[in-house]
Amino acid sequence: MRNKTFFTLIGVALLVGGCGNRTASTQDAAQADTILAEEVPDTVQTVSQEPTQTLPDGSVKADEANGLFVLTKLVEKASEDNPADIRSLWLYERKTGRVDSLLTTNPNAELRWSNMNGSPVEVPLTQIAAADKVCFVPGHPQLLLVEGCPEARNIWTYIIDLEKKTARQFPSTEGLIAFSASGDTLQLGAYRYHEEGGRYSVVRTYTLSGQLIKEEESEEY
């Protein structure tokens, strides 16, 4: 009976997953995602030559692609000393029942802005500063977009390659605007300052590998 309930809940969760527009209410999504996270541990199987892991209590589904779920767990809420929530990220594979711990965000991650010069830089998974938004890149289930605001000013954006366990931090300060329909490119927001004072918005389009395709000034996005 529990298996039947679990697969029914996955069907509901598919309607509300992802970073884009949702077709269900926020309340419905929260209920479905939380229940799913609680049901998943009962299906975990032992992985050969690896310790058995289960999802931590309170983990919540962030997205799903091709039977692979990414879930987040709040480890520590933001405080005066640390303006960003600390979260752990977990992967659950429905076919095998395998659970893997991916990373825990690091509020003391190294500042990399000066090294970017308009292009992304590679960072270790131990240097992911925040994870307020987590979703798979459309059409690329091995790639995960993670971004958050760890210092109450700029949004830090990463793309993680789940197969290689590597990450790129993009030179964005305002976060994801949109993926292309194919998922092969993404638009990120940033800002610049006018010489006479004040700032304005910039929209940059990148390939997933980090090549800058175009940059446009925009007063709003």
Side-chain angles (χ1 to χ4, degrees):
M1 182 65 181
R2 291 183 63 84
N3 287 338
K4 181 177 179 181
T5 303
F6 172 65
F7 287 111
T8 301
L9 289 167
I10 286 180
V12 173
L14 292 180
L15 296 176
V16 297
C19 283
N21 295 329
R22 301 194 173 199
T23 56
S25 69
T26 303
Q27 183 178 2
D28 291 341
Q31 291 175 348
D33 291 354
T34 302
I35 293 171
L36 173 62
E38 292 172 351
E39 291 292 329
V40 165
D42 291 340
T43 71
V44 173
Q45 302 169 359
T46 301
V47 180
S48 177
Q49 297 180 342
E50 293 191 16
T52 302
Q53 294 193 75
T54 57
L55 292 169
D57 292 341
S59 54
V60 177
K61 184 179 80 71
D63 201 7
E64 184 269 345
N66 292 358
L68 182 64
F69 293 79
V70 58
L71 302 99
T72 65
K73 159 73 176 178
L74 179 63
V75 176
E76 184 179 324
K77 287 188 68 65
S79 64
E80 243 179 69
D81 297 329
N82 173 32
D85 291 337
I86 298 176
R87 289 186 172 90
S88 58
L89 271 61
W90 298 76
L91 298 173
Y92 166 71
E93 188 175 29
R94 179 169 55 190
K95 183 177 180 180
T96 63
R98 175 170 175 160
V99 172
D100 288 304
S101 172
L102 181 61
L103 62 91
T104 298
T105 58
N106 177 7
N108 299 312
E110 180 185 354
L111 294 171
R112 302 298 300 271
W113 305 110
S114 61
N115 304 121
M116 292 187 188
N117 296 319
S119 299
V121 294
E122 289 202 5
V123 298
L125 297 186
T126 56
Q127 291 292 304
I128 305 297
D132 302 324
K133 177 189 290 185
V134 180
C135 67
F136 290 101
V137 176
H140 301 271
Q142 80 282 9
L143 299 179
L144 195 66
L145 178 127
V146 174
E147 66 181 18
C149 185
E151 25 88 315
R153 182 178 181 183
N154 298 308
I155 296 174
W156 299 26
T157 301
Y158 311 86
I159 288 185
I160 297 174
D161 189 315
L162 297 176
E163 295 177 353
K164 298 178 180 178
K165 296 295 190 292
T166 58
R168 287 190 179 94
Q169 183 180 350
F170 282 72
S172 161
T173 52
E174 300 299 293
L176 176 72
I177 298 172
F179 287 107
S180 64
S182 64
D184 293 333
T185 63
L186 68 161
Q187 289 183 322
L188 298 172
Y191 59 82
R192 284 187 180 149
Y193 291 96
H194 293 290
E195 291 184 5
E196 64 275 16
R199 69 183 193 181
Y200 61 95
S201 301
V202 177
V203 178
R204 298 180 180 135
T205 302
Y206 289 92
T207 65
L208 298 179
S209 62
Q211 180 182 354
L212 178 62
I213 298 175
K214 65 179 179 179
E215 181 179 291
E216 301 172 292
E217 295 182 6
S218 173
E219 290 302 321
E220 295 182 2
Y221 52 79

